[in-house]
Amino acid sequence: MTRFIGIIGYPLKHTVSPVFQQAALDYYRLDVRYEVWETKAKDLAVVINQLRQPNRLGANITIPYKEAVLPFMDEVDDFASFAGAVNTVVNRGGKLAGFNTDGYGFIKSLREEAGFQPENKRAMIIGAGGAARAVSLVLLQEKIELLAIANRTVGRAESLADSLRKYASNEGINAEIIVLPCQGLEFSKTVKGCHLIVNCTSLGMKHTDEEGISPLTGDLIPRGALVYDLVYNPLITPLMRIAKEAGAYTLGGLHMLVYQGAASFKLWVGREAPVDIMLSAAKQALLKMGG
Ligand code: NAP
């Protein structure tokens, strides 16, 4: 019996997950197809419940449903539960288990690709959506010294900071967590003192209204810092270009995308994902789309 995995989101015109996940499935010669399940909000419940069928291994969940699928899950792992977002669903005999592999993808790429150790460092997170929640939680777990969160909607950053502080206090983690608006003196001063700056917004993403936009200007970026842009299309984002000119190190979102996908792959099929094959397939797909 052919089995299926898919990506659920809307819109899904420019997703590369099907290309690199299929490359990994084909590497193991598995009779599994990874499909694009573009889903309108009104159909979400039906599409999620179809994942309980025996021929469905599970799914990836992407924008805008990572939070909306939580109530449909029969179980949710601790990380996804704190992040308040599920990006991977596994069908376990008709029961749906929700996971979030974004935090793993981020930290693995941060260490492996940029050689960055978060312990005792200062980080600026720009954004307060699902990705920012996963990134800030994992940085807290990795003993970051300062987490500064700046978001267009400050209230959203406040609420993320509150839950991070609660988490840190419960786990006995010592970190300073502050919230800032995305501009102003305090913001500039804080960014300039950070070792790590992470763009967790969609600013700069190709094929969107935010294409070509950078969340920061070059004068704020400290020389020698690491600027990590979660945006993976284009491969070199406006922020990365500006950061490089300012003398910072840069990393784009492609490696995170592949590492989070590799973790999802292992959850579905129980085998180590062929990361190099996935990375090269993803890169080719993005270049084909003009990334
Ligand atoms: P989300 O939950 O929808 O959050 C979007 C964030 O972007 C919010 O902080 C939002 O601010 C901000 N934003 C959107 N448009 C903006 C604008 N015009 N000006 C300023 N801020 C703006 O999305 P998400 O899941 O966190 O994803 C965020 C980005 O990360 C996306 O580009 C996604 O593709 C990328 N991502 C990459 C990976 C990877 O593996 N590389 C994984 C996950 C996500 P408000 O709160 O003010 O609306």
Side-chain angles (χ1 to χ4, degrees):
M1 171 177 71
T2 303
R3 287 168 307 161
F4 298 89
I5 305 169
I7 181 161
I8 297 170
Y10 193 91
L12 284 177
K13 211 164 141 204
H14 303 289
T15 177
V16 291
S17 292
V19 176
F20 71 77
Q21 290 290 1
Q22 193 63 56
L25 294 163
D26 293 349
Y27 170 80
Y28 281 116
R29 298 177 192 277
L30 298 172
D31 187 10
V32 181
R33 306 299 313 159
Y34 189 107
E35 299 190 326
V36 178
W37 296 332
E38 191 169 73
T39 302
K40 295 216 167 113
K42 65 176 177 51
D43 302 322
L44 185 64
V46 171
V47 172
I48 295 293
N49 278 318
Q50 279 170 352
L51 296 175
R52 299 177 193 277
Q53 294 169 5
N55 68 346
R56 306 272 158 136
L57 291 181
N60 273 132
I61 309 296
T62 187
I63 292 174
Y65 301 131
K66 284 185 187 180
E67 288 147 52
V69 299
L70 265 162
F72 298 106
M73 298 298 110
D74 298 301
E75 53 188 91
V76 175
D77 84 332
D78 286 349
F79 195 92
S81 173
F82 178 85
V86 162
N87 77 337
T88 305
V89 180
V90 181
N91 177 12
R92 290 184 168 160
K95 297 238 186 274
L96 300 183
F99 299 86
N100 185 314
T101 63
D102 282 338
Y104 167 83
F106 173 76
I107 203 70
K108 178 93 175 156
S109 54
L110 188 70
R111 287 192 193 288
E112 304 271 319
E113 308 306 323
F116 188 94
Q117 306 298 335
E119 201 167 341
N120 300 326
K121 301 279 189 356
R122 295 186 294 278
M124 167 65 72
I125 308 296
I126 306 173
R133 293 188 78 88
V135 165
S136 36
L137 176 58
V138 84
L139 285 174
L140 209 56
Q141 291 174 334
E142 297 292 326
K143 301 191 174 61
I144 198 91
E145 179 188 291
L146 168 78
L147 261 186
I149 306 168
N151 193 44
R152 176 178 63 177
T153 310
V154 178
R156 205 173 177 196
E158 295 279 11
S159 120
L160 170 56
D162 282 348
S163 43
L164 287 166
R165 286 187 197 110
K166 251 180 232 148
Y167 178 88
S169 145
N170 285 344
E171 300 294 318
I173 297 171
N174 232 337
E176 190 184 353
I177 301 165
I178 60 171
V179 170
L180 297 164
C182 281
Q183 52 200 14
L185 214 63
E186 195 57 26
F187 174 71
S188 309
K189 212 175 101 190
T190 309
V191 180
K192 286 179 184 170
C194 281
H195 304 97
L196 173 68
I197 298 162
V198 191
N199 175 32
C200 298
T201 75
S202 42
L203 291 177
M205 189 78 169
K206 214 167 174 161
H207 309 297
T208 69
D209 291 346
E210 282 88 38
E211 179 167 356
I213 302 175
S214 166
L216 280 182
T217 50
D219 55 315
L220 299 182
I221 298 172
R223 177 172 286 278
L226 173 66
V227 175
Y228 191 148
D229 198 339
L230 261 51
V231 170
Y232 52 84
N233 190 11
L235 288 166
I236 311 287
T237 66
L239 172 63
M240 288 166 74
R241 191 164 293 124
I242 288 169
K244 206 165 179 195
E245 278 164 20
Y249 299 99
T250 60
L251 188 62
L254 185 69
H255 285 92
M256 172 172 167
L257 183 73
V258 168
Y259 282 124
Q260 63 78 29
S264 304
F265 181 92
K266 192 166 182 197
L267 286 166
W268 295 316
V269 304
R271 301 199 196 189
E272 288 305 325
V275 173
D276 291 347
I277 288 171
M278 293 167 97
L279 186 63
S280 123
K283 223 180 239 173
Q284 274 176 33
L286 280 174
L287 290 172
K288 234 179 174 171
M289 286 181 200

